[in-house]
Amino acid sequence: MATNSTSTTVCPAPMKATSNGSFQGESPLDFALPLAILQICFVVALTRVLAFLLRPLRQPRVIAEIIGGVLLGPSALGRNQKFLHTVFPAKSMTVLDTLANIGLLYFLFLVGLELDLRSIRRTGSKALAIALAGISLPFVLGIGTSFALRSTISKGVPHAPFLVFMGVAMSITAFPVLARILAELKLLTTDIGRIAMSAAAVNDVAAWILLALAIALSGSNSSPLISVWVLLSGAAFVLFAIFFLKPALALMARRSPEGEPIKELYICITLSLVLAAGFVTDVIGIHALFGAFVVGIVVPKDGSFARVLIEKIEDLVSGLLLPLYFASSGLKTNVATISGGLSWGLLVLVICTACLGKILGTTTISMLFKVPFREALTLGFLMNTKGLVELIVLNIGKDRKVLNDQTFAIMVMMALFTTFITTPIVTAVYKPARKGAPYKHRTVHRKDPETDLRMLACFHSTRNIPTLINLIESSRGIRKGGRLFIYAMHLMELSERSSAISMVHKARINGLPFWNNKREDKDQMVIAFEAYGQLSSVIVRPMTAISSLDNIHEDICTSAHQKRVAMVLLPFHKHQRLDGAMESLGGSFHAVNERVLRHAPCSVGILVDRGLGGTTQVLASEVSFKIVVPFFGGRDDREALAYGMRMAEHPGIMLTVVKFVVPSGKPLRHGHVPSVGISANKMMENKKTLEEADKSDSHDDRVQEVEDDLILSDFVSACSNKESMLYEERKVESKGEVVEALKALNKFNLFLVGRMPPMARLVERSDCPELGPVGSFLASSDFSTTASIIVVQQYSPNANLQPLVQEQANNGDSYIEVPDTPMAKV
């Protein structure tokens, strides 16, 4: 019998799930589970390294994931056939694609959870027109580009599906990626951010409808009747979700009250519904992702049900499974297919057409609605953001044989380029100026002590809350004329999580942090401050700032200016361990404090927390703290003393001021003290000559001495009327005597010390220049394990050279009101 050997096809044997181990002579890479584990670890590690490298460029993580996927494919690492056949063999791609699509299924469910149809219905005519312009013009231009591609590199592809896929790919705006970029640039709830988000939400819904149309048209059956049945069945599924799934999900949400754990059964039912909906839409012939997205849309957004769903699945999906989709997409992308003048010319054509359609259409319509040109252009670049949804469209098109390898690579590069340029161009084109009215009381030390005192107290975690509340209680005073206003700001780092983006959208207004008391999903950390405010005479306003640690200082400083506070209280970047040693929270928190010192519109205090009052809030009747102010002289020491005098009004506070007196001719101010923020070097600030600087310094020293004597005389006169205030002087002749004198004071509960007194550094090495010479010594583990410290820097209108808020006088008046401090000059 003759056999035709040329027609014989050998299929690879299916992979078993697990191996018996290398000791049994089996390679784990020949089995599905260990190979999938290796692939996940490799992909996640690569994308995270790329995200870290791209962080200085402020790029969203999706850029790193797209680049990582391309690098794994035949464009880079995949050129090594040994690597490709070992880590990503062809027989493993079914398992990899399945895991990737399950992750993608739940990610689209999360995207649907973030989209609130009520906000889309409330979209104004401006945002709706911008959205339609941002869809229609790129769609038309995409269809035009498809003719050029079909006549050159895409010959033979189905005509109608190719037109629709190209139009959809050109007109998409990535809603999740845009939200991340807006949050990073602090534009999420500015006017331009709200318009962009509303338009992107409309765009997202329209894109999924068009994608369903494209999928229906791209079926293997050439009969148009099949496409009609697919579309009608898809519409029937949407109606079923609205009228049956939505009430069922709403019932589970109503039975999940705020503050109580969600039943595991409800979570299981919802996650199973996502899979079931994906199965139904896949049976229909649209795509499983469409069903997951619809379920996310119909889940009730009020209450804690949606928030708990996000918390349950976002880390697993976004952190582990979703990068696999980018790897799967990258393995199909071969940039090497873009070769020759024709291919590169088509790439330029596609990029220019995509940018032109989005930017021109959005900018033109925006200007018709009286949006200024710069903001309209910014909107155009924002709406040009691509991302994951773009890759979904392209991958579906490639799987359905609508896009060939070369067209697919060109479109992936277009998506990568347009998203990459968004952040730098928006930063260059549109930098909204933060404007505010000038205010008077920027320091605690002021001419009229009977005025209100406003403070902004920042905290990172629950660890800081007891000490802050005890400190606030100690600061409230007893005077009738001067109330205490406290703005308690919870500092949260902006992450890549969907819930973080959602919270930013809720917790900002006009680009500034705020807290809405009507919100049901309150931050648990601010409840303690709300309770304290209700039980005391202090007016407490909790706030939340959610930003990248690289620029969260902007939220702190602009909020301080908006609230007209006299002092910003910052947590030290180190916390005390159980053994008494100080442990750093990271260099990013350290840099935040340094930036606030440099840009703050008021005085700043850095709190080194060693458990003032213990780990719980002390009752007002039980407050009993001993506070000491080591006084060397200078504006920072005067500010610390002024704050101490305010605290001494509390009946439970004992305040002691220790003035360090130096014999004539033996100054303690020698050696170089690194400074952060306001510099004590007048020569560098004012760029004077050396002779002028010497004259200025000698005059300034005399003025400082006069001001020191004035506040000390006020304190001494107050001591005669209050037994809780003590004053003493200690003569010191060397740095060693200062150290010994300070060590003798380590039984006090709290130290108030100026940041830059006329004193040399007391420790040989310090990684905390923001604490100054004395504060660095007091904060060291060698000094004390029980005494908390507040290092105070007084605001100086002459030295704040980099304000974040542009002040404008009211009614067009050119007069700028300066802080009410003894040294202020108009």
Side-chain angles (χ1 to χ4, degrees), residues 92-105 321 324 328:
S92 72
M93 294 310 297
T94 301
V95 176
L96 179 66
D97 288 343
T98 302
L99 288 174
N101 279 280
I102 289 177
L104 188 62
L105 204 71
L321 297 181
L324 295 181
S328 174

Side-chain angles (χ1 to χ4, degrees), residues 381-411:
F381 280 105
L382 288 172
M383 295 299 291
N384 197 35
T385 302
K386 309 294 183 186
L388 179 62
V389 182
E390 174 85 3
L391 286 185
I392 294 173
V393 173
L394 299 179
N395 276 280
I396 293 174
K398 192 172 190 308
D399 293 339
R400 303 231 169 186
K401 310 299 183 183
V402 176
L403 304 177
N404 59 22
D405 291 344
Q406 194 171 359
T407 306
F408 180 79
I410 287 175
M411 298 303 293

Side-chain angles (χ1 to χ4, degrees), residues 434-452:
R434 299 178 184 272
K435 300 178 181 180
Y439 69 99
K440 189 174 184 179
H441 300 301
R442 299 175 186 254
T443 60
V444 179
H445 185 202
R446 58 188 64 168
K447 294 177 181 177
D448 183 9
E450 296 296 326
T451 52
D452 293 341

